[in-house]
Amino acid sequence: MALHHMREVGLKTIMVCLKRVVDYNVRVRPKTDGSGVQTEGLKMSINPFDEIALEEALRIRERGEASEVVVVSIGPEDCQQQLRTGLAMGADSAVLVRSDEALDPPSAARVLLNMIERLEPGLVLMGKQAIDDDCNQTGQMLATLWGRPQATFASKLELSGEVATVTREVDAGLEVIEVDLPAVVTTDLRLNEPRYVKLPDIMKAKKKPIDTVAIEDLGIDTTPAFQVLAHTAPEPRARGRMVRNVDELLAELRERGLVN
Amino acid sequence: MSKVLIIAEHNGVTLNQSTARCVSCALELAPDCIDILVLGSDCSGPASEAAGLKGVTRVRTITSEANAHPLSAVLAPQIAAVAPGYDYVLGPSTTFGKDLMPRVAALLGTGQVSDIMSVDGPRRFRRPVYAGNVIVSLEVPEGRQVVATVRTASFPAGAPGDSPVAVEETATDATIPTHTRFRELRTAGGDRPDLQTARIVVSGGRGVGGAEGFEKLYSLAGQLGAAVGASRAAVDAGYVPNELQVGQTGKIIAPELYFAFGISGAIQHLTGIKDAGTIVAVNKDPEAPIFEVADIGLSGDLFEVVSQLEEKLG
């Protein structure tokens, strides 16, 4: 590959953040003592929004608009599985910041800023939210600490020189903004459909490097901003009644004063 | 003496109802003062609406051409400049607040409580995680400024106050970045009711089968004066645009009446409707999980039900 040429026309590095989460299809329950959630033995996956972020990075590289895609994860040793999946999808290399404690978004953002300083990416991509804590904060906080623009909830991303034009899924419809690079872009569902990993890619990925860093060695404050007191199950909504036909349905709705 | 600052959401003309819901949440903190901050290029309309909300102490405005569109990178440093002195800085958990508030929290050097669903004490909150499968109770340590987004469906829109409070223009010396620029906003809604504020919502899932099927739901919604929503499966399948999505990764809504047509009832969807008044589910599969949470269930062909409803309501 003509690397020197690519540097002229596009970005050198895209950094993609992957979080290991309980798989989308698994229903999670709180532990009986409320100290956390039961995750033992559950299927774990790449956070689906992060997978979309990686797919987008790979497409940008495949268009010749970037030279390399590096995937970064923070978590226990087992995160290697998700990073391997990312490498099998097509990422060039991976970094695991080993942490046995789960980090809150401000701490994760501080760690990712450290990774930015190492990798000097021209673009950082990640999901708009992780489907475990549902916080929807890390990308925005990272962009702020970095002193760079953010474009959240992206459903379309176009790069041109030093500028990214991003279509964002907002409550009112679609908003188009322009941001100077480098920037953080967080991805929404409709940006793309991630590719399936093929067996030969999994074999090839085994040769790709995963660089491991112990979080203690980064000297970053990871004290949580808040104290979690308890995890509980939501109050169930009472089961209602079945009606047999539209007339019974309308009678019930009229009784409740909901329709005329 | 505790003070709350609420960041107003507006479209330049009117105040979004999400702001009044933030005021309802703020009142549960029993603060000494609730200020609303309106940032815009012309704040007059939203500011006068905000001044009329019950429980509000003062409305502050920052009027600048730079604030013509809600760009978080532009608004956040101005909010951070005003925020010192406030114990709480609240915004709505809409795409506006979700984008903006973490940027404010990071500038203020604190964390953010996302999606407050209930207030258990001045520093204790509950919020949903895992698509609402688990509720977390958390406490913000004393002395730490609370930046949070408010799950709007969990709080009422509130009532108007007795008489409007003062509106004051505020100046800041915040540096406004130029690295983020607004290009355009494309709205598809037209004159249909807004999904997040509509009294009735007619929603469809994968069972609707396609864009043509959704036309029939639009027709029923028109007759009922209802907004149209959709499950993630229907959005993924390309039947409707994403702004109709209801659920964990879409909109969280609390209409008085919610119709779920051809929606199986994945937990990701249910988390978006659990505060609805009455949920009506119509699905051809009598074992569909949606029936476990529906107040009224009808097992049958959804198009048959829709056309009968139109006829009998007509």
Side-chain angles (χ1 to χ4, degrees):
Chain A
M1 240 187 265
L3 256 180
H4 61 279
H5 176 65
M6 291 213 166
R7 281 206 183 106
E8 280 167 29
V9 299
L11 308 170
K12 182 175 165 284
T13 302
I14 302 177
M15 176 172 129
V16 180
C17 309
L18 302 184
K19 187 174 184 184
R20 171 184 164 94
V21 297
V22 175
D23 188 78
Y24 190 75
N25 293 307
V26 177
R27 186 164 182 162
V28 172
R29 290 184 172 79
K31 287 180 181 166
T32 44
D33 67 357
S35 65
V37 296
Q38 297 173 15
T39 56
E40 294 77 19
L42 298 184
K43 185 186 177 200
M44 304 297 285
S45 297
I46 297 175
N47 176 42
F49 291 101
D50 296 342
E51 202 177 359
I52 292 169
L54 174 54
E55 176 64 35
E56 194 65 17
L58 296 173
R59 290 184 190 188
I60 292 167
R61 189 195 62 193
E62 285 159 5
R63 289 199 300 265
E65 294 172 9
S67 312
E68 61 160 2
V69 175
V70 182
V71 284
V72 175
S73 192
I74 309 170
E77 192 65 30
D78 287 344
C79 284
Q80 297 244 8
Q81 294 162 13
Q82 282 64 45
L83 289 172
R84 284 282 165 216
T85 305
L87 292 169
M89 280 176 70
D92 298 284
S93 63
V95 183
L96 169 60
V97 180
R98 267 208 51 185
S99 169
D100 291 329
E101 299 295 321
L103 303 191
D104 68 0
S107 296
R110 285 192 286 270
V111 171
L112 293 172
L113 180 66
N114 182 287
M115 291 298 117
I116 285 175
E117 285 158 1
R118 287 167 186 236
L119 299 167
E120 298 180 348
L123 175 66
V124 175
L125 282 166
M126 68 175 82
K128 70 168 180 177
Q129 76 193 72
I131 60 162
D132 51 4
D133 63 23
D134 284 331
C135 274
N136 199 329
Q137 299 176 12
T138 305
Q140 296 89 311
M141 288 182 170
L142 177 60
T144 312
L145 298 180
W146 194 14
R148 297 304 309 165
Q150 68 192 39
T152 54
F153 324 142
S155 65
K156 192 174 178 199
L157 169 59
E158 290 167 302
L159 302 176
S160 169
E162 299 297 300
V163 172
T165 303
V166 183
T167 303
R168 305 180 55 233
E169 304 263 5
V170 296
D171 290 337
L174 296 172
E175 183 191 68
V176 183
I177 64 169
E178 208 177 75
V179 295
D180 292 340
L181 296 172
V184 176
V185 175
T186 77
T187 55
D188 216 319
L189 279 181
R190 293 198 309 168
L191 183 60
N192 61 50
E193 208 165 303
R195 65 196 63 191
Y196 286 102
V197 176
K198 300 185 204 82
L199 190 61
D201 298 326
I202 295 171
M203 301 309 289
K204 259 196 292 184
K206 287 185 176 162
K207 295 198 195 89
K208 292 182 182 175
I210 298 183
D211 187 12
T212 302
V213 185
I215 194 160
E216 300 78 24
D217 294 343
L218 298 178
I220 290 168
D221 176 19
T222 55
T223 317
F226 317 126
Q227 192 192 350
V228 174
L229 304 173
H231 295 75
T232 52
E235 279 175 36
R237 212 183 148 98
R239 197 186 175 112
R241 62 176 284 238
M242 296 297 286
V243 294
R244 283 168 299 184
N245 53 49
V246 172
D247 288 329
E248 281 185 22
L249 170 61
L250 280 174
E252 181 80 28
L253 291 177
R254 286 186 174 122
E255 196 174 308
R256 292 171 183 235
L258 290 167
V259 297
N260 294 323
Chain B
M1 181 84 187
S2 82
K3 296 172 72 179
V4 182
L5 181 68
I6 293 171
I7 313 307
E9 177 173 8
H10 64 89
N11 61 6
V13 182
T14 58
L15 191 67
N16 192 297
Q17 205 192 64
S18 63
T19 305
R21 293 175 187 271
C22 288
V23 174
S24 294
C25 175
L27 284 168
E28 294 196 19
L29 298 163
D32 300 289
C33 126
I34 299 175
D35 288 354
I36 295 185
L37 179 63
V38 182
L39 300 104
S41 55
D42 175 3
C43 302
S44 54
S48 70
E49 278 186 70
L53 293 173
K54 194 181 178 82
V56 173
T57 313
R58 180 173 59 150
V59 175
R60 305 178 70 175
T61 56
I62 302 180
T63 307
S64 160
E65 265 315 304
N67 297 342
H69 303 285
L71 295 169
S72 295
V74 170
L75 303 187
Q78 300 173 70
I79 295 165
V82 171
Y86 290 96
D87 304 279
Y88 304 88
V89 185
L90 305 182
S93 188
T94 55
T95 53
F96 164 76
K98 286 175 177 174
D99 184 50
L100 173 63
M101 300 309 288
R103 204 156 176 118
V104 173
L107 288 174
L108 295 173
T110 186
Q112 174 184 292
V113 183
S114 291
D115 309 316
I116 292 178
M117 61 187 291
S118 74
V119 175
D120 292 347
R123 311 194 73 81
R124 284 194 181 192
F125 307 95
R126 279 177 210 230
R127 60 173 303 261
V129 297
Y130 287 97
N133 275 312
V134 178
I135 308 300
V136 164
S137 305
L138 59 88
E139 185 166 59
V140 183
E142 282 298 331
R144 185 181 278 275
Q145 198 170 27
V146 179
V147 175
T149 59
V150 175
R151 186 176 181 277
T152 50
S154 300
F155 296 90
D162 300 329
S163 59
V165 298
V167 177
E168 291 169 21
E169 177 70 12
T170 299
T172 78
D173 55 2
T175 307
I176 310 292
T178 56
H179 56 45
T180 305
R181 298 169 292 275
F182 175 87
R183 290 273 295 273
E184 61 170 317
L185 177 65
R186 287 182 235 140
T187 55
D191 51 4
R192 289 186 191 286
D194 176 53
L195 181 55
Q196 275 172 316
T197 53
R199 198 178 72 84
I200 304 177
V201 172
V202 174
S203 228
R206 196 185 288 277
V208 177
E212 285 163 34
F214 262 92
E215 284 307 315
K216 299 199 166 67
L217 297 191
Y218 274 113
S219 168
L220 175 64
Q223 197 176 349
L224 289 165
V228 173
S231 70
R232 175 172 164 174
V235 172
D236 278 356
Y239 302 167
V240 286
N242 189 52
E243 67 247 32
L244 300 193
Q245 192 197 148
V246 173
Q248 180 190 21
T249 56
K251 293 188 168 88
I252 310 290
I253 59 173
E256 285 175 37
L257 175 57
Y258 185 80
F259 285 96
F261 287 105
I263 292 177
S264 64
I267 184 74
Q268 293 83 2
H269 185 72
L270 302 182
T271 193
I273 58 168
K274 65 186 263 308
D275 295 307
T278 296
I279 298 174
V280 175
V282 179
N283 201 301
K284 68 172 190 285
D285 174 10
E287 303 299 321
I290 188 83
F291 290 123
E292 286 168 32
V293 297
D295 299 284
I296 309 171
L298 175 53
S299 172
D301 179 71
L302 73 93
F303 294 112
E304 183 60 32
V305 172
V306 167
S307 75
Q308 280 190 39
L309 277 172
E310 277 201 84
E311 188 191 310
K312 292 177 192 219
L313 285 164

